[in-house]
Each structure stands twice: as C-alpha cells, then as structure tokens.
Amino acid sequence: MRIAHLASEVAPFSKTGGLADVAGSLPPALAGLGHEVTVAVPAHRTTLAESVPGTARGEVRALGYRAAVSELSHRGVRVVFLDCPALYVRPSLYSLADQDYPDNALRFAFFVRAALAAIARLGGADVVHAHDWQAALAPLLLRHDGQTRFAMPAARTVLTVHNLAYQGTFPPWALEACGIPRRLFTMELLEFYGAANLLKSGLVSADAITTVSPTYAREILSPEFGCGLEGVLAARSDAVTGILNGLDLDEWDPTRDAFLERLYGADDAAAGKRAARDALAAELGLAAGRRPLLGMVSRLAEQKGADLLAAALDEVVDAGFDVVVLGAGERRYEQALRAGQAAHPGRVAAAIRFDERLAHRIYAAADLFLMPSRYEPCGLGQMIAMRYGALPVVTRTGGLADTVTDAGKPDGTGFVLDAMTPAALMSALARARKLLAAPRRLQAMRARAMTRDFSWTASARAYAALYERLLAAPPRPLA
Ligand code: ADP
Ligand code: GLC
C-alpha cells in the first residue's frame, strides 16, 4: 500500500512531545512491513539560517503562500518537508509565552493543503493518515473539497487522535484565510458551539478514527474524557479503535544510547543506573548520597500532573527521595518547580527546558519515574522509563493503565496510584521504597520492566490491517 502520513512534528526533525516520537517511528515500522510510506511535515526552524533537510522537489502553492518541497529518504520512509518561512520559522512550534500563535489555523490549513498537493504530485497515496487537529482538515478536504478530492479520488482516510483536549478551535472568520467555503461551516462538519473545530471536522470525515490506546478509546466516549466531543465520537463509535503506541527501540535503548557514558542492560542495570545517577548528580548539582531518585520528564501542561508533584514535594523530600524534573510548558508549573528547587538545594533539580540529551540521562539515572497524569491517551514516558529500568509511578488512566502493571501483581512493573492526591502518591512511594531496599526483588521487577515488549511490531500490523480493511470496503457514501 502507498501510505501518506501528515503530522505537525516528526522526530528527529521536530518535537514537542510523543506525537513526534510516533510520527517518527510508526512510518518506518510500516515500511518494514513492505509498504511505501511517506511522511509530510512542516519544515519547522527557529531561524532562517538553519537548513532544511532533503533534496529540492519544486514548490506548491496554496492560500496565497508557497512552500518549497524537499524530500529525504530516512529509515526506509520518504519524508517530505514543506518549507514556508513566513509560517514555520518561529521560536517554537505552536505557541510562545503561553500564547498560541494567532495564525495557527492558517499555518496548519496551509500545511494540510501543501502536503496533499505535494503527495498528489509525487504519485498519490492509497491511504492518507492524519495525526491530531493540525492535520485534521485532510479528511474533510479529501471528502468535501472538489479540487482536493479530484487529485486523490480513491484515497481512504484515517485520523489518529493523540490528545482529544487539543482540538484546534478558531473563530469562524478564521476559515476564510484557510480557504474553507462557508458551506462547510455546518453542525455536521466544522461547527462546534459557534466555533470552527478542526479536529471535529476530521472526526466526522475520516473513514476510520484511531486513538493511541484501547483504554483511552473507551474513555473518550464518556463526558469525563470526551472534551465535549463524546457525542460526535459516539455517533461514529463503529469507526473508532484504540491501537497502542510502540516505542522507537533504536532511539530508546540503554544498551546502545549515545547519551550515556556507561551502557547497561537488564542484567547489569543496578551498576549502570548507579553510574548514570552519579553522572547526573554531578551535572545538575544534586548532593552526594545514595538516596532513591524520582525522575520526571514531561510537557508541563495540566494533563501531566506536575502540580501534584509540586504540592507533595516537601513530603517527598522528607521521605528521603531526591527529585529531578525536566520539563517545559505553562509558566505556572515552571515557576512552581523552580521554587521547589530553590527550597531544596541539592535535593531537587528542576531543568526547565526541552533537552533530548538530558531526557535520556534522566530515564537512565532515575529509580522511579513519575507520571501522575489526569488523563493519558497513551504515554511514551512510562514505556521509555520501563525500558531504562526506572519503575513508573502512574495514575490509572488511558495508556498508563494499559502499559503499567502494579507491583502488587506477580508481573508488576511499577506503581499505580489509587487517586491523584499527595496522600496516594506518598503511599505509592512508601511501597516503592520498600522494593528499592530489597535488591533481589528490585532486580526482578526491573528486569521485567526492561524486557517488556514495547516494539511497534504488533501495532504496525494493526494499522496495516485497518488500512487493508478500508481499501477492501467500498468508499463511505457522501450523505
Ligand atoms: P506527550 O506526548 O503527551 O507529551 P508522551 O509521554 O507520549 O507525552 O511523550 C513525551 C515525549 O516527549 C517523550 O519522548 C519524552 O521523553 C519527551 N519529552 C517531554 N518533555 C521533554 C523535555 N522537556 N525535554 C526532552 N524531552 C521531553
Ligand atoms: C499525545 C498524548 C500522549 C501520547 C502521544 C503520542 O501527546 O498526550 O499520551 O503518547 O500523543 O501518541
């Protein structure tokens, strides 16, 4: 099959979170199954001086802008970059100082149009697979926009929801600059409580909807997790499935990680993690000692529960843990974590930035990895942590529930909180402390965590099977 992915960030070229990991590792896994795979992504840069990867392939025009198209063959996948400096040369991908860029609707509408035009020109696709609101106009346009449809009339469409809370909602007038005719601003398509909702337009238009874990696929049908779209999703519940994310095992592997001084596997994890911890302590100014280390690597958004850590920090330190947090995002969480570091010098390190290298070193150094999410579509952090022998401490939600087994079970790999409260966190940490003090049990649980299968093998096959089903079925009727 010829499969074209549209994603607003693709590792290793651009990244703010797990979407980039998935868009960078699912396509190569599909290519490994023998499919012809393309990934289109905006050529994000922070300055004009940075170069855009790949070989020039002409340009595409849309909405009064043009993008230079370049193409790079990467891990068996054709990566297509759309370079439009006016839209994609920015200090960060989506927002600055807690404010979304005011032209985000245009930035991503252009991305979708330019990507579809480039893909059509490079030979078309059997399946167009869009990720999140930034690409969600693709199914709408392929179904309802004559010109787009004409360029790839037979393409089937898939929309993957990586996070239902981010919907791309804009005032209706923003649609004009996106070249969306008024006739599509209806309750059945784009309209949502008076606003234009790009994610909704994709949910109603795509041939299939997937999300990134089976539990989240069920949760989003309820008002608690549906973010207002539960009704829209329920109407299409036959089309919704949950396919668990895999990890890029080349990127996340402590036996061959270029960011670590000492490599380790499941059998010498204790020694390897001690070395990583000593190196990290020296780097971040943590006091000497062999206290257990609690790590967190996260976007600092409400979803992720950094406020729970901030609220419990004094108690966590009193209980004898050192803490290291790497994160960037909303100011209020950044400030709370900086204050935590100032209050506990040598015991708490808060690195407020995005730092790929430091992330690897924290996964390796940490004994425990904290991910107390309010909701979690899948979560890669807890899987990466397990692979590095850092036992995850998580809430029981979404993909966390699907990937972490509590230490109370025979095949336990981590610690599951009963509630999202400081008391529940402290009680999980008390259980964890006992385990960390019992070397044989610790070694056994770490080995289990490190050898869990987080590969893409099964999930890439599940996506391929979905594409095959869509291509075998007649196109969805328009009305
Ligand atoms: P989400 O996509 O919701 O942010 P995931 O757990 O799926 O959460 O993926 C997060 C990814 O982003 C992981 O690869 C994690 O290591 C990485 N990450 C998050 N914050 C940072 C940061 N400040 N520096 C480096 N990597 C980060
Ligand atoms: C989103 C979700 C996260 C998921 C990632 C990749 O950012 O918040 O749970 O792992 O996408 O699918």
Side-chain angles (χ1 to χ4, degrees):
M1 291 176 278
R2 296 168 309 152
I3 303 154
H5 289 261
L6 270 61
S8 59
E9 51 185 271
V10 177
F13 309 106
S14 46
K15 170 165 167 174
T16 66
L19 168 62
D21 292 288
V22 172
S25 55
L26 168 60
L30 288 165
L33 296 177
H35 304 293
E36 202 183 300
V37 188
T38 299
V39 184
V41 63
H44 297 288
R45 290 180 282 171
T46 50
T47 66
L48 258 181
E50 276 167 55
S51 58
V52 176
T55 314
R57 286 282 180 268
E59 63 173 42
V60 288
R61 288 161 190 265
L63 308 178
Y65 289 79
R66 59 191 174 155
V69 179
S70 65
E71 186 184 321
L72 178 73
S73 169
H74 182 73
R75 300 173 71 186
V77 170
R78 175 166 70 185
V79 185
V80 172
F81 296 92
L82 299 155
D83 180 28
C84 179
L87 300 179
Y88 308 131
V89 176
R90 303 273 165 110
S92 56
L93 265 52
Y94 311 115
S95 61
L96 194 60
D98 286 355
Q99 295 292 315
D100 287 348
Y101 296 123
D103 57 350
N104 271 353
L106 167 68
R107 293 175 75 223
F108 293 102
F110 176 78
F111 163 59
V112 168
R113 288 180 179 278
L116 292 177
I119 289 160
R121 221 179 48 200
L122 294 167
D126 302 315
V127 177
V128 172
H129 187 154
H131 297 267
D132 274 355
W133 73 263
Q134 293 91 340
L137 280 175
L140 177 84
L141 294 175
L142 283 165
R143 196 169 162 78
H144 296 284
D145 178 86
Q147 212 182 332
T148 315
R149 202 178 153 82
F150 180 72
M152 275 190 273
R156 304 297 199 266
T157 57
V158 176
L159 176 64
T160 294
V161 179
H162 295 263
N163 194 332
L164 197 63
Y166 300 90
Q167 301 180 359
T169 47
F170 301 96
W173 51 258
L175 290 178
E176 196 181 327
C178 301
I180 310 279
R182 275 210 74 89
R183 69 176 166 87
L184 299 183
F185 186 66
T186 62
M187 224 169 76
E188 289 71 34
L189 298 175
L190 267 159
E191 193 271 343
F192 186 69
Y193 294 100
N197 184 319
L198 304 193
L199 188 67
K200 175 185 168 180
S201 80
L203 292 174
V204 297
S205 305
D207 294 315
I209 301 165
T210 72
T211 186
V212 287
S213 71
T215 294
Y216 192 62
R218 286 190 299 274
E219 287 171 341
I220 55 177
L221 299 176
S222 74
E224 191 188 350
F225 293 99
C227 302
L229 287 172
E230 60 275 4
V232 172
L233 283 160
R236 299 222 55 210
S237 60
D238 289 350
V240 182
T241 51
I243 301 178
L244 195 68
N245 285 334
L247 272 190
D248 184 340
L249 299 183
D250 292 326
E251 164 82 7
W252 301 109
D253 181 354
T255 69
R256 51 195 173 110
D257 184 322
F259 295 116
L260 305 184
E261 280 101 12
R262 187 194 186 289
L263 303 175
Y264 64 94
D267 23 300
D268 59 346
K273 293 186 68 67
R274 204 175 311 123
R277 191 216 199 286
D278 290 343
L280 188 75
E283 180 175 346
L284 297 180
L286 287 174
R290 292 254 179 264
R291 283 176 293 269
L293 181 64
L294 178 66
M296 183 164 182
V297 176
S298 183
R299 283 187 298 114
L300 297 178
E302 194 193 355
Q303 173 191 356
K304 300 293 182 178
D307 49 323
L308 176 66
L309 176 62
L313 196 59
D314 295 347
E315 268 188 90
V316 172
V317 170
D318 284 348
F321 291 90
D322 287 349
V323 177
V324 53
V325 187
L326 169 63
E330 287 177 44
R331 289 256 170 102
R332 50 185 169 148
Y333 302 120
E334 298 188 346
Q335 278 160 1
L337 293 169
R338 283 203 178 97
Q341 166 171 290
H344 301 283
R347 300 289 308 281
V348 174
I352 304 301
R353 57 178 185 271
F354 192 92
D355 186 337
E356 196 70 58
R357 169 181 173 277
L358 191 56
H360 283 248
R361 293 165 72 85
I362 292 174
Y363 289 114
D367 298 297
L368 302 173
F369 185 81
L370 182 63
M371 205 159 160
S373 307
R374 293 197 156 75
Y375 68 93
E376 197 58 74
C378 177
L380 301 176
Q382 82 284 11
M383 293 198 257
I384 301 169
M386 283 186 264
R387 196 156 161 79
Y388 281 71
L391 303 174
V393 178
V394 302
T395 38
R396 186 182 285 109
T397 185
L400 299 174
D402 290 343
T403 56
V404 179
T405 312
D406 187 78
K409 306 248 170 64
D411 56 343
T413 55
F415 299 88
V416 181
L417 306 190
D418 293 324
M420 206 192 153
T421 60
L425 173 61
M426 293 318 295
S427 114
L429 289 182
R431 290 197 292 137
R433 246 216 112 113
K434 283 203 195 116
L435 181 94
L436 292 172
R440 299 255 307 274
R441 276 176 60 215
L442 171 62
Q443 165 61 20
M445 193 185 297
R446 261 188 191 149
R448 259 196 315 274
M450 292 179 74
T451 53
R452 275 265 158 111
D453 181 7
F454 295 121
S455 72
W456 268 108
T457 315
S459 296
R461 284 185 201 286
Y463 279 111
L466 171 67
Y467 304 151
E468 267 153 20
R469 280 201 302 281
L470 294 178
L471 288 166
R476 239 177 109 209
L478 254 183

Short mmCIF file of all heavy atoms in Angstrom, two decimals, residues 85-115:
data_model
loop_
_atom_site.label_atom_id
_atom_site.label_comp_id
_atom_site.label_asym_id
_atom_site.label_seq_id
_atom_site.Cartn_x
_atom_site.Cartn_y
_atom_site.Cartn_z
N PRO A 85 8.84 29.78 5.16
CA PRO A 85 9.41 30.52 6.29
C PRO A 85 8.42 31.44 6.99
O PRO A 85 8.44 31.55 8.22
CB PRO A 85 10.55 31.31 5.64
CG PRO A 85 10.94 30.50 4.46
CD PRO A 85 9.67 29.88 3.95
N ALA A 86 7.53 32.08 6.24
CA ALA A 86 6.60 33.01 6.89
C ALA A 86 5.76 32.30 7.95
O ALA A 86 5.32 32.90 8.92
CB ALA A 86 5.70 33.65 5.84
N LEU A 87 5.51 31.01 7.75
CA LEU A 87 4.64 30.27 8.67
C LEU A 87 5.40 29.38 9.65
O LEU A 87 4.90 29.09 10.74
CB LEU A 87 3.65 29.42 7.87
CG LEU A 87 2.72 30.18 6.92
CD1 LEU A 87 1.80 29.22 6.18
CD2 LEU A 87 1.90 31.21 7.69
N TYR A 88 6.57 28.90 9.27
CA TYR A 88 7.23 27.88 10.10
C TYR A 88 8.59 28.25 10.65
O TYR A 88 9.23 27.42 11.29
CB TYR A 88 7.32 26.55 9.33
CG TYR A 88 6.00 26.10 8.75
CD1 TYR A 88 5.90 25.69 7.42
CD2 TYR A 88 4.85 26.10 9.53
CE1 TYR A 88 4.68 25.31 6.88
CE2 TYR A 88 3.63 25.71 9.00
CZ TYR A 88 3.55 25.32 7.68
OH TYR A 88 2.34 24.95 7.14
N VAL A 89 9.06 29.46 10.40
CA VAL A 89 10.26 29.90 11.11
C VAL A 89 9.80 30.68 12.33
O VAL A 89 9.36 31.82 12.24
CB VAL A 89 11.19 30.74 10.21
CG1 VAL A 89 12.38 31.27 11.03
CG2 VAL A 89 11.70 29.91 9.04
N ARG A 90 9.80 30.00 13.47
CA ARG A 90 9.27 30.56 14.73
C ARG A 90 10.13 30.03 15.87
O ARG A 90 10.73 28.96 15.76
CB ARG A 90 7.82 30.10 14.98
CG ARG A 90 6.82 30.41 13.88
CD ARG A 90 6.22 31.81 14.05
NE ARG A 90 5.55 32.23 12.82
CZ ARG A 90 4.23 32.35 12.67
NH1 ARG A 90 3.42 32.06 13.67
NH2 ARG A 90 3.71 32.74 11.52
N PRO A 91 10.12 30.74 17.02
CA PRO A 91 10.92 30.28 18.17
C PRO A 91 10.49 28.91 18.70
O PRO A 91 11.28 28.18 19.28
CB PRO A 91 10.69 31.35 19.23
CG PRO A 91 10.07 32.50 18.54
CD PRO A 91 9.46 32.01 17.27
N SER A 92 9.20 28.57 18.57
CA SER A 92 8.75 27.24 18.97
C SER A 92 7.58 26.85 18.08
O SER A 92 7.12 27.66 17.28
CB SER A 92 8.35 27.23 20.44
OG SER A 92 7.36 28.22 20.63
N LEU A 93 7.10 25.61 18.23
CA LEU A 93 6.21 25.07 17.21
C LEU A 93 4.81 25.69 17.17
O LEU A 93 4.29 26.01 16.10
CB LEU A 93 6.09 23.55 17.35
CG LEU A 93 7.05 22.72 16.47
CD1 LEU A 93 8.48 23.16 16.62
CD2 LEU A 93 6.89 21.25 16.74
N TYR A 94 4.18 25.81 18.36
CA TYR A 94 2.76 26.19 18.34
C TYR A 94 2.44 27.48 19.08
O TYR A 94 1.40 28.08 18.86
CB TYR A 94 1.90 25.07 18.94
CG TYR A 94 2.22 23.72 18.39
CD1 TYR A 94 2.75 22.71 19.20
CD2 TYR A 94 2.01 23.43 17.04
CE1 TYR A 94 3.06 21.46 18.69
CE2 TYR A 94 2.32 22.19 16.52
CZ TYR A 94 2.84 21.20 17.35
OH TYR A 94 3.15 19.97 16.84
N SER A 95 3.30 27.84 20.05
CA SER A 95 2.93 28.95 20.94
C SER A 95 4.18 29.58 21.51
O SER A 95 5.27 29.01 21.45
CB SER A 95 2.06 28.43 22.08
OG SER A 95 2.78 27.47 22.84
N LEU A 96 3.98 30.77 22.07
CA LEU A 96 5.10 31.47 22.69
C LEU A 96 4.57 32.12 23.97
O LEU A 96 3.52 32.77 23.94
CB LEU A 96 5.62 32.53 21.71
CG LEU A 96 6.98 33.13 22.05
CD1 LEU A 96 8.05 32.04 22.08
CD2 LEU A 96 7.35 34.17 20.99
N ALA A 97 5.26 31.92 25.08
CA ALA A 97 4.86 32.51 26.36
C ALA A 97 3.38 32.26 26.66
O ALA A 97 2.62 33.19 26.94
CB ALA A 97 5.19 34.00 26.38
N ASP A 98 2.98 31.00 26.62
CA ASP A 98 1.60 30.58 26.93
C ASP A 98 0.55 31.07 25.93
O ASP A 98 -0.64 30.87 26.15
CB ASP A 98 1.18 31.01 28.35
CG ASP A 98 1.84 30.16 29.45
OD1 ASP A 98 2.54 29.19 29.11
OD2 ASP A 98 1.62 30.48 30.63
N GLN A 99 0.97 31.73 24.84
CA GLN A 99 0.00 32.21 23.85
C GLN A 99 0.17 31.43 22.54
O GLN A 99 1.26 31.42 21.97
CB GLN A 99 0.25 33.69 23.54
CG GLN A 99 0.02 34.64 24.70
CD GLN A 99 -1.44 34.72 25.09
OE1 GLN A 99 -2.32 34.84 24.24
NE2 GLN A 99 -1.71 34.62 26.39
N ASP A 100 -0.92 30.83 22.06
CA ASP A 100 -0.87 30.20 20.74
C ASP A 100 -0.61 31.28 19.69
O ASP A 100 -1.08 32.41 19.83
CB ASP A 100 -2.20 29.52 20.42
CG ASP A 100 -2.38 28.24 21.22
OD1 ASP A 100 -1.39 27.78 21.83
OD2 ASP A 100 -3.50 27.72 21.24
N TYR A 101 0.11 30.94 18.65
CA TYR A 101 0.28 31.92 17.56
C TYR A 101 -1.09 32.25 16.97
O TYR A 101 -1.90 31.35 16.74
CB TYR A 101 1.18 31.34 16.46
CG TYR A 101 2.59 31.06 16.90
CD1 TYR A 101 3.14 29.80 16.78
CD2 TYR A 101 3.38 32.07 17.46
CE1 TYR A 101 4.44 29.53 17.19
CE2 TYR A 101 4.68 31.81 17.88
CZ TYR A 101 5.20 30.54 17.74
OH TYR A 101 6.47 30.29 18.17
N PRO A 102 -1.34 33.53 16.72
CA PRO A 102 -2.68 33.92 16.24
C PRO A 102 -3.01 33.36 14.85
O PRO A 102 -4.17 33.27 14.48
CB PRO A 102 -2.63 35.45 16.22
CG PRO A 102 -1.19 35.82 16.29
CD PRO A 102 -0.48 34.69 16.96
N ASP A 103 -1.98 32.96 14.10
CA ASP A 103 -2.25 32.44 12.75
C ASP A 103 -2.17 30.91 12.67
O ASP A 103 -1.94 30.34 11.61
CB ASP A 103 -1.30 33.08 11.73
CG ASP A 103 0.18 32.85 12.06
OD1 ASP A 103 0.48 32.36 13.19
OD2 ASP A 103 1.04 33.13 11.20
N ASN A 104 -2.39 30.22 13.81
CA ASN A 104 -2.27 28.76 13.79
C ASN A 104 -3.25 28.08 12.83
O ASN A 104 -2.90 27.08 12.20
CB ASN A 104 -2.44 28.19 15.20
CG ASN A 104 -1.11 28.11 15.95
OD1 ASN A 104 -0.05 28.36 15.37
ND2 ASN A 104 -1.17 27.77 17.22
N ALA A 105 -4.47 28.62 12.70
CA ALA A 105 -5.41 27.98 11.77
C ALA A 105 -4.83 28.00 10.37
O ALA A 105 -4.79 26.98 9.67
CB ALA A 105 -6.76 28.71 11.81
N LEU A 106 -4.35 29.16 9.97
CA LEU A 106 -3.76 29.30 8.64
C LEU A 106 -2.49 28.43 8.51
O LEU A 106 -2.29 27.75 7.50
CB LEU A 106 -3.40 30.77 8.39
CG LEU A 106 -2.51 31.02 7.17
CD1 LEU A 106 -3.28 30.70 5.89
CD2 LEU A 106 -2.00 32.46 7.15
N ARG A 107 -1.65 28.44 9.54
CA ARG A 107 -0.38 27.69 9.48
C ARG A 107 -0.64 26.21 9.18
O ARG A 107 0.05 25.58 8.39
CB ARG A 107 0.39 27.80 10.79
CG ARG A 107 0.90 29.21 11.08
CD ARG A 107 1.55 29.28 12.45
NE ARG A 107 2.86 28.66 12.48
CZ ARG A 107 3.31 27.88 13.44
NH1 ARG A 107 2.55 27.59 14.49
NH2 ARG A 107 4.52 27.36 13.37
N PHE A 108 -1.68 25.65 9.84
CA PHE A 108 -1.88 24.21 9.65
C PHE A 108 -2.85 23.90 8.51
O PHE A 108 -2.76 22.83 7.91
CB PHE A 108 -2.21 23.54 10.99
CG PHE A 108 -1.00 23.63 11.90
CD1 PHE A 108 -0.92 24.56 12.92
CD2 PHE A 108 0.12 22.84 11.64
CE1 PHE A 108 0.24 24.69 13.70
CE2 PHE A 108 1.28 22.96 12.40
CZ PHE A 108 1.35 23.87 13.44
N ALA A 109 -3.73 24.83 8.19
CA ALA A 109 -4.54 24.63 6.98
C ALA A 109 -3.61 24.64 5.76
O ALA A 109 -3.74 23.81 4.85
CB ALA A 109 -5.60 25.72 6.85
N PHE A 110 -2.67 25.56 5.78
CA PHE A 110 -1.70 25.58 4.68
C PHE A 110 -0.90 24.29 4.65
O PHE A 110 -0.67 23.70 3.58
CB PHE A 110 -0.75 26.78 4.81
CG PHE A 110 0.32 26.77 3.74
CD1 PHE A 110 0.04 27.18 2.45
CD2 PHE A 110 1.60 26.31 4.04
CE1 PHE A 110 1.01 27.14 1.46
CE2 PHE A 110 2.59 26.26 3.05
CZ PHE A 110 2.28 26.69 1.77
N PHE A 111 -0.49 23.84 5.83
CA PHE A 111 0.28 22.58 5.89
C PHE A 111 -0.49 21.45 5.21
O PHE A 111 0.05 20.72 4.37
CB PHE A 111 0.60 22.23 7.35
CG PHE A 111 1.02 20.80 7.55
CD1 PHE A 111 2.13 20.28 6.87
CD2 PHE A 111 0.30 19.95 8.39
CE1 PHE A 111 2.50 18.94 7.03
CE2 PHE A 111 0.67 18.62 8.55
CZ PHE A 111 1.77 18.11 7.87
N VAL A 112 -1.78 21.31 5.58
CA VAL A 112 -2.57 20.21 5.03
C VAL A 112 -2.69 20.35 3.51
O VAL A 112 -2.47 19.39 2.75
CB VAL A 112 -3.97 20.16 5.69
CG1 VAL A 112 -4.89 19.22 4.92
CG2 VAL A 112 -3.84 19.72 7.14
N ARG A 113 -3.01 21.55 3.05
CA ARG A 113 -3.19 21.74 1.60
C ARG A 113 -1.88 21.51 0.85
O ARG A 113 -1.86 20.85 -0.19
CB ARG A 113 -3.72 23.15 1.31
CG ARG A 113 -5.18 23.30 1.73
CD ARG A 113 -5.68 24.70 1.42
NE ARG A 113 -7.07 24.87 1.77
CZ ARG A 113 -8.10 24.50 1.02
NH1 ARG A 113 -7.88 23.94 -0.17
NH2 ARG A 113 -9.33 24.68 1.43
N ALA A 114 -0.79 22.06 1.40
CA ALA A 114 0.50 21.90 0.73
C ALA A 114 0.94 20.43 0.75
O ALA A 114 1.44 19.91 -0.24
CB ALA A 114 1.55 22.78 1.42
N ALA A 115 0.71 19.76 1.87
CA ALA A 115 1.11 18.36 1.97
C ALA A 115 0.32 17.51 0.98
O ALA A 115 0.90 16.67 0.27
CB ALA A 115 0.88 17.85 3.40
#
